Amino acid sequence: MSDTEVAVNGENSVERLASENPPPTDAQRPGREVINPFPQPTRDINDLFHPPKYLALVRQRLFEVRDKIELRVDEFERYWPYIDNVWVRQHRAGTDKTGKYTTDYYACRLQRPTYTPKDVDKPRPEGKPTRKKQIREGGTCQMRVKTIRYNGGYSGYTITQIGDQTQHSHDLEHMDKIKRTTVLMDIARSEVMKGYMPASVFTVMSENADSLDEAGGRYLSRNDIRNASQAWRQVHREPLRVHEGYKYDHGNGIVRHDDTGPMHVANSRGHFTDSVRNGNLATPPNSLRYPEECRGFLEPYLPTKNVATDENGFPHVTLTYATSMDSCLALAPGLQTLISGPQSKAMTHYLRSKHDAILIGVGTATADNPALNCRLEGVGGYGGVGWEGQPRPVIIDPGARWLLSPNSKVLTTVQEGKGKGPWVIIAPGFAMDPMRLEMLKHYGGKYLGLTDFDKRWRLRWEAILKALAAEGIKSVMIEGGGMIINDLLQPEHAHFISSVIITKAPRYLGRGGVVVSPALRHDVSERPQPAVEFRDVRWHPLGEDVIMCGRIKSNDESSGGVTT
């Protein structure tokens, strides 16, 4: 026992130090070959000082699992060990016949029966201290979840609730109090394996109280660190030391011996990093920023966080597009045309982040080859977690004309983990290429077949919107193209639109372009009336453009009254 160890633990603390300085094992006796059965831990103190982004928020969400949670594989492997003090795997259902889906079932740790120690414990092997066992709480929570891992055109985990109990009978702090996470125990073990005393490891970890609390370590104790390293210390009996920059202070334990500020630690590659949490994470190069001060005027026209379908079963529909001064969407049919400025472009991606789905027609999908994702800084794939804030692309393609390929931007975006697989709405009777069908499934998309047509043999908007609502879509952002926008603005369809957000750019495109111009209405006496009128209108300058927000007036509110 080193002098420092005696000073820290006290001369009469032999029993407490037994786990830190155990007697030699058979492997350490003369003539015995020493085999190291302890692989290097995968985490070290840097994982405490530099935790994953949004750790506290993600831990709470993975504890509650109120809604379906989607994470990329690397994110699941990064965050799940921070919550494994709550969830215990019950069994693995295995992989389906396609080999793409693997399902695991987990139960709350408190589901298992209460454990009461026996009066007489089993005899312990020579040299190992007697374990002090306590009653283990159990049988109080029946909450369960399942995880499904998908390996296809992208890889990710989906986590959902199962069973009758929809919330825990306790909070996350209660679990942190009775059980430590794998990450904390791995960090403790790694530090002791570097030759540091458990008391010193505890001091260093506890100094970063906020990070420790965020990782679930509010109730971490010295005994936890001893327990994490006990097996390793049974084999390695070399004297332990305190961390550099720390010392034993009589009556105060291990303390920092100077005021040089936060400790610096070496990472696994030998480089030194500041232990202060780094909040300035690198921004993806093509992400967009939309300032907070520019968002307020939009909020009354956007779906609320907990938006639900209306009384008719329709989702919230936001119609949004950019036009020139002469109401043109493009210079010519099928020609991609840049109209609005960079600030308006960032606003469009902010709007996308607020909707469950983004909908366009097959003409726009063919002409523009769009990615149909959100590049706003902070959403999934652009500094955020999972696919949070990424809308589901929806393409209306009744005749199955869209020639989707692995090089389509919407699919390459899925491969990069920066967007979701598209849903394609088709009409029955069109021969689908089996390879295209399988490719769409491979990237997490699917075809939705509808049979409800209007008198012009077009798919009815009622059927389209109700089909999306049935798939869990509660808000839809409709961006184009021209045929879809003009059709939705017709009197018989305008009531489906919850709000309109239009960008007007300071330019004329000229004749021959794709124009937003719905057909005239007529009153009961056949006099022409404005096609569309708005209420609750707001105008807001944004860069060189002007944004108009509003809602469409009903027939009764319009100046012409009832139309024919």
Side-chain angles (χ1 to χ4, degrees):
M1 186 185 308
S2 68
D3 293 341
T4 303
E5 289 175 296
V6 172
V8 172
N9 296 281
E11 294 286 356
N12 298 322
S13 301
V14 177
E15 182 178 350
R16 289 177 55 199
L17 286 169
S19 60
E20 297 183 21
N21 294 282
T25 62
D26 290 341
Q28 296 172 310
R29 300 183 190 280
R32 301 274 186 161
E33 181 182 359
V34 177
I35 301 175
N36 182 10
F38 307 102
Q40 188 68 24
T42 58
R43 295 176 178 85
D44 60 21
I45 200 71
N46 283 288
D47 292 282
L48 179 64
F49 296 159
H50 301 279
K53 196 175 182 181
Y54 311 123
L55 177 57
L57 176 63
V58 175
R59 283 195 80 226
Q60 189 65 37
R61 290 190 61 189
L62 289 174
F63 172 75
E64 296 173 347
V65 196
R66 292 181 178 177
D67 303 303
K68 179 174 68 174
I69 299 174
E70 295 178 307
L71 297 174
R72 296 191 297 271
V73 170
D74 63 311
E75 292 173 333
F76 181 87
E77 293 174 347
R78 184 183 313 133
Y79 287 107
W80 193 256
Y82 284 94
I83 199 70
D84 61 3
N85 62 329
V86 176
W87 299 114
V88 179
R89 189 165 70 183
Q90 291 183 307
H91 67 280
R92 169 168 287 182
T95 305
D96 73 333
K97 61 182 180 181
T98 67
K100 296 180 179 180
Y101 296 91
T102 302
T103 305
D104 286 322
Y105 292 88
Y106 292 82
C108 176
R109 184 174 296 276
L110 298 186
Q111 185 187 61
R112 61 189 184 182
T114 300
Y115 169 77
T116 304
K118 299 178 181 178
D119 294 335
V120 180
D121 200 359
K122 294 181 180 179
R124 301 287 290 166
E126 181 183 356
K128 291 190 176 182
T130 301
R131 297 182 61 186
K132 296 180 180 179
K133 297 185 178 181
Q134 298 177 339
I135 295 177
R136 184 186 66 203
E137 178 185 352
T140 60
C141 186
Q142 302 300 317
M143 191 169 172
R144 295 183 296 148
V145 298
K146 71 174 179 180
T147 65
I148 301 176
R149 173 169 175 164
Y150 177 74
N151 287 311
Y154 71 98
S155 296
Y157 278 87
T158 301
I159 307 164
T160 55
Q161 281 190 20
I162 57 174
D164 297 329
Q165 187 166 329
T166 59
Q167 62 183 17
H168 291 279
S169 59
H170 51 86
D171 57 18
L172 179 56
E173 183 178 356
H174 180 72
M175 296 305 301
D176 290 342
K177 186 175 183 179
I178 65 176
K179 183 69 176 179
R180 309 294 173 258
T181 66
T182 296
V183 173
L184 292 173
M185 299 301 274
D186 212 23
I187 292 173
R189 187 181 304 109
S190 72
E191 290 300 291
V192 175
M193 289 176 67
K194 293 175 186 176
Y196 296 121
M197 296 173 54
S200 182
V201 175
F202 176 76
T203 297
V204 172
M205 293 179 70
S206 299
E207 277 190 336
N208 294 267
D210 291 341
S211 294
L212 188 63
D213 189 27
E214 197 174 15
R218 175 178 296 184
Y219 300 97
L220 185 74
S221 67
R222 290 182 179 84
N223 282 336
D224 293 322
I225 297 171
R226 292 190 186 98
N227 292 338
S229 59
Q230 183 177 23
W232 184 83
R233 286 294 286 157
Q234 293 290 331
V235 176
H236 299 81
R237 300 186 61 251
E238 300 84 358
L240 301 177
R241 65 186 188 280
V242 298
H243 285 80
E244 292 77 7
Y246 291 75
K247 66 178 182 179
Y248 171 70
D249 181 38
H250 184 72
N252 295 314
I254 303 293
V255 297
R256 188 180 297 135
H257 66 66
D258 54 35
D259 295 324
T260 56
M263 170 186 164
H264 286 68
V265 291
N267 62 24
S268 58
R269 295 178 182 173
H271 304 295
F272 281 83
T273 57
D274 194 340
S275 67
V276 175
R277 182 178 176 183
N278 180 12
N280 300 317
L281 300 178
T283 302
N286 62 340
S287 63
L288 300 172
R289 292 185 178 182
Y290 187 63
E292 292 282 346
E293 59 269 20
C294 296
R295 301 179 181 186
F297 78 97
L298 295 168
E299 297 308 314
Y301 305 92
L302 297 179
T304 58
K305 185 175 183 180
N306 298 316
V307 65
T309 54
D310 64 19
E311 63 274 9
N312 296 314
F314 299 127
H316 177 106
V317 175
T318 304
L319 179 63
T320 178
Y321 55 91
T323 71
S324 61
M325 298 290 288
D326 48 351
S327 200
C328 285
L329 298 171
L331 286 165
L335 180 63
Q336 187 176 10
T337 305
L338 180 63
I339 295 180
S340 58
Q343 296 93 335
S344 299
K345 182 178 181 180
M347 181 199 73
T348 298
H349 283 261
Y350 172 71
L351 298 179
R352 290 180 178 184
S353 74
K354 295 296 183 178
H355 292 79
D356 294 339
I358 173 175
L359 185 148
I360 63 171
V362 63
T364 303
T366 301
D368 296 352
N369 185 26
L372 295 178
N373 70 332
C374 176
R375 293 194 282 116
L376 188 72
E377 182 181 1
V379 303
Y382 294 87
V385 176
W387 288 267
E388 190 80 23
Q390 289 293 349
R392 174 72 64 180
V394 179
I395 292 88
I396 298 181
D397 184 19
R401 295 189 291 122
W402 190 31
L403 298 178
L404 190 67
S405 77
N407 294 324
S408 300
K409 286 184 180 178
V410 70
L411 295 190
T412 58
T413 298
V414 174
Q415 293 176 13
E416 296 168 356
K418 296 179 178 180
K420 295 182 178 180
W423 293 351
V424 184
I425 296 177
I426 63 172
F430 294 93
M432 281 301 308
D433 181 355
M435 293 185 64
R436 267 199 290 163
L437 180 62
E438 188 58 35
M439 178 174 58
L440 193 60
K441 290 182 179 179
H442 184 66
Y443 288 96
K446 61 183 175 181
Y447 285 97
L448 300 176
L450 300 182
T451 59
D452 198 354
F453 299 92
D454 62 17
K455 59 186 178 182
R456 293 174 295 174
W457 290 101
R458 294 180 178 179
L459 291 173
R460 293 172 61 88
W461 281 107
E462 293 94 330
I464 292 172
L465 296 175
K466 283 191 174 181
L468 294 178
E471 295 288 340
I473 300 297
K474 298 178 181 178
S475 57
V476 184
M477 177 176 167
I478 299 180
E479 288 195 13
M483 184 178 295
I484 283 181
I485 293 172
N486 283 312
D487 191 44
L488 266 175
L489 290 174
Q490 296 302 320
E492 64 268 28
H493 298 146
H495 65 281
F496 293 124
I497 302 174
S498 308
S499 58
V500 175
I501 301 175
I502 302 172
T503 300
K504 296 290 289 186
R507 57 182 55 85
Y508 287 93
L509 296 189
R511 297 176 182 175
V514 179
V515 178
V516 176
S517 183
L520 279 174
R521 296 188 305 164
H522 295 82
D523 63 14
V524 292
S525 61
E526 295 298 325
R527 287 181 301 183
Q529 297 294 328
V532 178
E533 294 182 273
F534 297 96
R535 60 180 175 86
D536 302 332
V537 175
R538 287 188 184 181
W539 294 88
H540 187 86
L542 192 62
E544 293 185 347
D545 305 326
V546 178
I547 313 300
M548 191 210 82
C549 304
R551 296 181 176 85
I552 296 178
K553 288 184 178 181
S554 65
N555 288 338
D556 294 337
E557 295 173 313
S558 299
S559 58
V562 179
T563 61
T564 60

